[in-house]
Amino acid sequence: MLDVAAPYYEPVGHECELFEYAFHQKLPLLLKGPTGCGKTRFVSHMAARLGLPLQTVACHDDLTASDLTGRFLLQGGETVWTDGPLTRAVRNGGLCYLDEVVEARKDVTVVMHPLTDDRRVLPLDRTGELLEAPDDFMLVASYNPGYQHVLKSLKPSTRQRFIALELGFPPPEQELKILIRESGLPREKATALINLANRLRELKGQDLEEGVSTRLLVYCGRLIQAGMPILQSARAALVEPLSDDEDVRDGLMETISATFGG
Amino acid sequence: MLDVAAPYYEPVGHECELFEYAFHQKLPLLLKGPTGCGKTRFVSHMAARLGLPLQTVACHDDLTASDLTGRFLLQGGETVWTDGPLTRAVRNGGLCYLDEVVEARKDVTVVMHPLTDDRRVLPLDRTGELLEAPDDFMLVASYNPGYQHVLKSLKPSTRQRFIALELGFPPPEQELKILIRESGLPREKATALINLANRLRELKGQDLEEGVSTRLLVYCGRLIQAGMPILQSARAALVEPLSDDEDVRDGLMETISATFGG
Amino acid sequence: MLDVAAPYYEPVGHECELFEYAFHQKLPLLLKGPTGCGKTRFVSHMAARLGLPLQTVACHDDLTASDLTGRFLLQGGETVWTDGPLTRAVRNGGLCYLDEVVEARKDVTVVMHPLTDDRRVLPLDRTGELLEAPDDFMLVASYNPGYQHVLKSLKPSTRQRFIALELGFPPPEQELKILIRESGLPREKATALINLANRLRELKGQDLEEGVSTRLLVYCGRLIQAGMPILQSARAALVEPLSDDEDVRDGLMETISATFGG
Amino acid sequence: MLDVAAPYYEPVGHECELFEYAFHQKLPLLLKGPTGCGKTRFVSHMAARLGLPLQTVACHDDLTASDLTGRFLLQGGETVWTDGPLTRAVRNGGLCYLDEVVEARKDVTVVMHPLTDDRRVLPLDRTGELLEAPDDFMLVASYNPGYQHVLKSLKPSTRQRFIALELGFPPPEQELKILIRESGLPREKATALINLANRLRELKGQDLEEGVSTRLLVYCGRLIQAGMPILQSARAALVEPLSDDEDVRDGLMETISATFGG
Amino acid sequence: MLDVAAPYYEPVGHECELFEYAFHQKLPLLLKGPTGCGKTRFVSHMAARLGLPLQTVACHDDLTASDLTGRFLLQGGETVWTDGPLTRAVRNGGLCYLDEVVEARKDVTVVMHPLTDDRRVLPLDRTGELLEAPDDFMLVASYNPGYQHVLKSLKPSTRQRFIALELGFPPPEQELKILIRESGLPREKATALINLANRLRELKGQDLEEGVSTRLLVYCGRLIQAGMPILQSARAALVEPLSDDEDVRDGLMETISATFGG
Amino acid sequence: MLDVAAPYYEPVGHECELFEYAFHQKLPLLLKGPTGCGKTRFVSHMAARLGLPLQTVACHDDLTASDLTGRFLLQGGETVWTDGPLTRAVRNGGLCYLDEVVEARKDVTVVMHPLTDDRRVLPLDRTGELLEAPDDFMLVASYNPGYQHVLKSLKPSTRQRFIALELGFPPPEQELKILIRESGLPREKATALINLANRLRELKGQDLEEGVSTRLLVYCGRLIQAGMPILQSARAALVEPLSDDEDVRDGLMETISATFGG
């Protein structure tokens, strides 16, 4: 399950260096940032760059500690232990990435504790094993600070086990490079789209819960590049995914028409 | 499980082109629209038109990620992995349609994440597999924006992974064509029924949660065409399914009587 | 599981014709009406009249979709699929009657969706089958509109998939016929009992949640006909089942004594 | 599981006759009454008198329909169906008594429905059987009206399927007979105890949720008869079981001391 | 599982006699009293004195009726019934002690009902057995009245099945005897500790939820006797276990220093 | 699973002596203290010093009593009992450490009761065993008093079974020794970092839920020692893990810049 070719990633600051320091110092890393800003891509990129296998787990309400560590399965009338993704990473080395860790249940965050202090061990109570993480094991977790609420937040006793890094949307110049590379749009059209995105992002917070992500910009660029009319592409990729409110959508479409002509 | 003959679908706008662009650009698609406006029919139609097998999953409160991805079943004393509908679509290609995705539990929406960004993969944590979606795999999801509430809504981090399209009830001319085709009613009677439907739809929001859908109109047309008296047909297909409130139903019957004579 | 002899049913309006139209037009039917008015009897009657096997499912809080569609059971060390009542009806034809469908969990109402639109199919995700309903399959559901509340109600997206019919208590002349036939009481005594019932029903809403049902009247008639004193029969069948409140019961007994003498 | 000797029961009114009418008319019976008034004893008595086997089920929050109807159990690698107590009574005839039925979950009350209308059948969805109750099958349920609250009450659609009977504490003359018979106390001491009980019962409602039951009186009589001092016996059997409040208990002990001398 | 040597117990009143009367009259017994006052020790003592095996069950939120009565376990491909502690006590005789019964779920209290009235039987619905309790079976339950709240309390219908007894902390003379015996402290030091405890107990209710228990006094005495400085022993055994509030703990330490000198 | 070399631990007060007294007097010990102050390290240190094997269990919402005591697993078609970590410690002797015990469910705290009074036994209801703890068995539990709230707190009946000890952050001189030893930083830089930490800790309570822990200080020291610029190291290890609030983080960075120069 090795990601062989390092996926394209355009660094915004010193995040790659920090990641490498954390890896070599055997410190767990916490990524913070909004939807679609590239957290997952960043982790894939670093895994490939460091030559490490990557185990990605998308966390959710019903994810249990057993989904991470493993469980007994019936085989030939015997219950046989089967490692989960976290255990695989601890046993064999490599990155284990827990995406949106805040969504997971409490037992999942607690299972990380002995791996994220000086012990760096994973006790498997059900098999009686105590696995020591090898030097090339690294735990990375991410979450979106904008979503946290009372019931779902990281306890200080968990947060204080990580060094942390905040990622945001890339600055215009870099977002332009990403958009051109991922959608194939010519520079001129891509620049117009970036400008539009920034105008739409200014509307965030009033009626929109989140601004246009880089991912949606790329979607829009690909539809345009494939031949779909600009306004239809913008409606499908930049307007409908952001809101169900008719007034909000009309407002967004007006801004778009004003930019690209009606 | 291939839908061989393309089911009849009467396009309202550019929705068929948008669907095809999304398919060829490998973008996931989100359909928004009210009850009975034809979302499911539209997906069946497009699946047949693109020559793709279709896996439809009606989402609900108790649908788990395992219902989509698969589970271990006991066979001959062994636990054998059995693919769920989403895994089947990823393994073999084709459309996977998640109907009313907002009703599903959080773990179901999270399972779609790695399939709806640039990775297009489905990690099966329990088997340790990482399936890459083939070029002809497409994920379509739908929901009714009118029902969303605090506990049940799509998180931006999920929505921003789709391009989106809103469908509504067809305009009168098209609804007339659909009604005639599906019920066999003569044009004159069908026109009268369409007019009635639009008069009833104007009452929506006051005492009615939802207006008469195209589907109920077709039901009414079929009862009339089969020989049931018009007023009885209208009561059974257009009044009783919409409300339990006696005053509301009396009001609806008055409008109907006024249209078709007492 | 064929009901061979058509159970006695005394029609109140055009409900038998409507049922037959719905069956022949392959439309699902929703029955609305109060406790003990004869919904279940009506369905048994129509099943026998149309010569169809009948699967009845009493819905409740803990009924799951699997209880309807089927599940894997262990047989000889293998997990073997076993059809539930809905699947049996779809596979072999006949009526499937979901009694008090509002009580069921959401996944049960969603499982009906593909059977109640033009597709008329039942997808069994766990076996990978897609069953097409035969022409003589019909789905009937019932509920009591008087009980609906916020947490328990049919969503419009489910209701609009049915044509609907409201049943009430039979008018006096018919209730008399039913009472005589089912209890064996002579006409005079039965008439007195019907008069009493109607007097008691006028008290409904003040202190009583529901009025005396036809079923309780028949119970009372059978006790009297078996030789139990009238006042004791009325207390046991018409008073105690309706209320635990001492004042209410005293009021009811007064009305009864006034009718039949102390 | 036949109760051979009819347990002693002292009738208060016409409850034995009503029970017999209900049995012969095949009507289900609902018993209402306070804690310790003798509902369970009454049912055992009637079962023995009618020569019927008795299945008693104490209902509670976690009792499921399967606990009543049966379940599949693994035997020699096969899942074998095993009848629950309700199914045993339906298959073989006899009384099935559901004690404190209000405590049971909704699926339990619904499972009784087809057995408590004119069908008198028990559908076993999981085996596909439809059992017809024999003539000597009778369903009896009980509850304490004093405990009912919003979340726990019998729905009218369930209540109206039963004829009903209210039991209370026996009048003094009868309670005396019971106390003497069950405790062996001489008449004089027993009379004093009955008088005390009635004085204590007058305090109910002020600080006490329930009055002294006949059962506790018998307990007290047995302790006294075995040689334990009267005041100690009364404290252990009549005071401590009724309240944890120190003032209330002091008040009760004062009344007792005043009666039997300090 | 016989407790051979009777554990040391210092009676406070007539509790031993009452226990023996209850045993010989086959009445179930309910013990009420605060944390650490010796309820469990009392039961062990009586079990040994009466020569009865003892089954102790510590009740809690997740304890189910099956944990008490037994369950089917897989052995050699068969499901084999395995008795729980209550069933073992009923089958073989002896004491069954349910500690903190209020913490258990409702199904646990209901399972005791047929054992705590004149029937003295334990119906095992899942095996179809009806066990009669032998003469030397006795059921004892305990709870702490100070903890009861709305959701967790014994229903009158359960309480009225027991005779009851309240235990408190022993009076000073007896507590002194216990402390000397269990810690080995010389009389003088023990007396000082008892005096301190009573001073600390006077603070209860203001800032402390519970006063110092006899158990903690014994802990403190053992630490002192083992050579740990008095103030450190008192902090570890009498202060830190009672409160996390800094002001409260400072207040307690002041009282202690004032007693034993700073 | 023996921790062979005693991990480095720098005592703050008499905690090591108290631990040893508790061990020799067979008293269970409760550790109280904030996140990252060294509770787990202290327990590992003492286990090694006393030559005892250590079982550590990180408690959480979904930890059940069975996770501690053991469960039946299928092996060769038989259900075979498998000890949990608490049972292993009781059977073989040694320390069992329940980290953050307040997070566990109630059944977990109740399972400790018979081990934490004079009985020192572990009843395994499911196997019928009653294990007596050997002399070298010791139970240690910990929690963070700062997190307790209504739903999650230790009941007095549990707390009063332990002697208790509060740990805090080490005083500056000792923290300096720890920091130098664990990060390899030269004394001068380490002193500057300690001073910074204390300045940051003064901000706690205003906008910060918890202050900088010793663990984060060590992380920061290791990053600096590895060559990462001081300000970047401080942001990653001391600022981002503490807060998501932009103003708070700016304030923290200002303090840091003022200390180390911009």
Side-chain angles (χ1 to χ4, degrees), chain A residues 3-261:
Chain A
D3 291 42
V4 185
Y8 166 71
Y9 178 77
E10 189 67 38
V12 175
H14 301 285
E15 67 266 32
C16 299
E17 289 83 348
L18 176 59
F19 196 106
E20 290 186 340
Y21 274 116
F23 173 69
H24 292 302
Q25 291 303 313
K26 302 193 198 88
L27 301 177
L29 179 65
L30 189 63
L31 298 177
K32 311 193 283 188
T35 297
C37 74
K39 294 187 295 288
T40 300
R41 176 79 72 104
F42 172 53
V43 175
S44 306
H45 174 78
M46 291 307 301
R49 196 155 137 174
L50 291 165
L52 298 168
L54 171 63
Q55 303 279 350
T56 297
V57 180
C59 298
H60 54 77
D61 264 4
D62 300 303
L63 189 86
T64 64
S66 302
D67 290 326
L68 286 186
T69 54
R71 51 170 48 85
F72 285 101
L73 293 174
L74 264 185
Q75 285 180 359
E78 304 263 331
T79 45
V80 176
W81 177 262
T82 309
D83 282 347
L86 179 63
T87 304
R88 279 197 295 271
V90 173
R91 233 188 258 283
N92 311 318
L95 288 189
C96 183
Y97 174 44
L98 305 183
D99 194 14
E100 303 216 27
V101 71
V102 182
E103 299 293 327
R105 300 201 310 190
K106 287 282 170 60
D107 62 340
V108 164
T109 59
V110 162
V111 106
M112 303 185 303
H113 283 195
L115 274 171
T116 51
D117 54 29
D118 60 290
R119 292 174 287 171
R120 282 180 56 96
V121 295
L122 179 62
L124 298 175
D125 291 341
R126 303 199 175 180
T127 65
E129 285 179 282
L130 181 76
L131 300 182
E132 288 195 33
D135 282 1
D136 65 346
F137 168 77
M138 181 181 185
L139 184 67
V140 182
S142 76
Y143 73 100
N144 181 342
Y147 288 163
Q148 285 200 82
H149 50 82
V150 185
L151 284 171
K152 294 268 187 179
S153 64
L154 277 186
K155 296 193 306 178
S157 68
T158 301
R159 289 178 65 138
Q160 293 218 8
R161 293 164 173 281
F162 290 84
I163 62 169
L165 168 65
E166 181 159 44
L167 291 176
F169 291 119
E173 252 324 288
Q174 249 160 319
E175 197 167 37
L176 182 61
K177 276 170 77 177
I178 296 170
L179 176 56
I180 289 171
R181 195 193 136 102
E182 301 273 309
S183 70
L185 266 195
R187 169 168 277 268
E188 198 183 358
K189 279 189 180 164
T191 308
L193 210 51
I194 296 282
N195 292 341
L196 173 63
N198 287 326
R199 237 163 287 140
L200 295 176
R201 282 167 183 164
E202 283 160 16
L203 302 173
K204 193 203 140 178
Q206 299 166 241
D207 307 290
L208 286 172
E209 219 182 317
E210 291 249 326
V212 176
S213 66
T214 306
R215 181 187 296 130
L216 285 180
L217 269 188
V218 170
Y219 282 6
C220 186
R222 277 161 67 182
L223 290 176
I224 292 169
Q225 187 63 7
M228 194 156 115
I230 290 186
L231 291 188
Q232 279 180 37
S233 302
R235 175 180 281 281
L238 307 183
V239 175
E240 294 288 350
L242 289 190
S243 176
D244 292 330
D245 185 295
E246 201 148 344
D247 293 341
V248 171
R249 290 183 298 180
D250 287 353
L252 292 172
M253 280 311 293
E254 254 172 56
T255 306
I256 292 170
S257 302
T259 309
F260 291 107

Side-chain angles (χ1 to χ4, degrees), chain D residues 149-169:
Chain D
H149 51 84
V150 185
L151 284 171
K152 294 268 186 176
S153 66
L154 277 185
K155 295 195 307 176
S157 67
T158 300
R159 290 178 64 137
Q160 293 219 4
R161 293 165 171 281
F162 290 84
I163 64 169
L165 167 64
E166 182 160 42
L167 291 176
F169 291 117

Side-chain angles (χ1 to χ4, degrees), chain C residues 65-208:
Chain C
S66 301
D67 289 327
L68 286 186
T69 54
R71 53 169 48 85
F72 284 100
L73 293 175
L74 264 185
Q75 284 181 0
E78 304 263 331
T79 46
V80 176
W81 177 261
T82 310
D83 283 348
L86 179 62
T87 303
R88 280 197 295 272
V90 173
R91 234 189 258 281
N92 311 318
L95 286 188
C96 184
Y97 174 45
L98 305 183
D99 193 15
E100 302 216 29
V101 72
V102 180
E103 298 293 327
R105 298 202 311 191
K106 288 283 171 57
D107 61 340
V108 164
T109 59
V110 161
V111 107
M112 303 185 302
H113 282 196
L115 274 172
T116 50
D117 55 27
D118 60 288
R119 291 174 288 170
R120 281 179 57 95
V121 295
L122 178 63
L124 297 175
D125 291 341
R126 301 197 179 181
T127 64
E129 285 179 283
L130 183 76
L131 300 181
E132 290 196 32
D135 282 2
D136 65 348
F137 168 79
M138 181 179 184
L139 185 67
V140 182
S142 76
Y143 73 100
N144 181 342
Y147 288 162
Q148 285 201 83
H149 50 83
V150 185
L151 284 172
K152 293 270 187 176
S153 65
L154 277 186
K155 294 193 308 174
S157 67
T158 300
R159 291 178 64 137
Q160 293 219 6
R161 292 165 172 282
F162 290 85
I163 63 170
L165 168 65
E166 182 159 43
L167 291 176
F169 291 118
E173 253 324 290
Q174 249 158 319
E175 198 168 34
L176 184 61
K177 278 170 75 177
I178 295 169
L179 175 56
I180 290 170
R181 195 194 136 102
E182 302 272 310
S183 71
L185 269 193
R187 168 168 279 269
E188 198 182 357
K189 279 192 181 161
T191 307
L193 211 50
I194 296 282
N195 292 341
L196 172 65
N198 287 328
R199 237 165 286 141
L200 295 176
R201 281 167 184 163
E202 283 160 17
L203 302 173
K204 193 203 137 178
Q206 299 167 241
D207 306 292
L208 286 172

Side-chain angles (χ1 to χ4, degrees), chain D residues 67 74 213 222 244 249, chain E residues 25 79 126 148 160 166:
Chain D
D67 289 327
L74 263 185
S213 65
R222 280 163 65 185
D244 292 330
R249 292 181 298 178
Chain E
Q25 291 302 315
T79 46
R126 303 201 175 178
Q148 284 200 83
Q160 294 219 5
E166 181 160 42

Side-chain angles (χ1 to χ4, degrees), chain C residues 67 74 222 240 244 249, chain D residues 25 32 79 126 148 166:
Chain C
D67 289 327
L74 264 185
R222 280 163 64 185
E240 294 289 349
D244 292 329
R249 290 182 298 180
Chain D
Q25 291 302 314
K32 310 193 284 188
T79 46
R126 302 198 177 180
Q148 284 201 82
E166 182 160 42

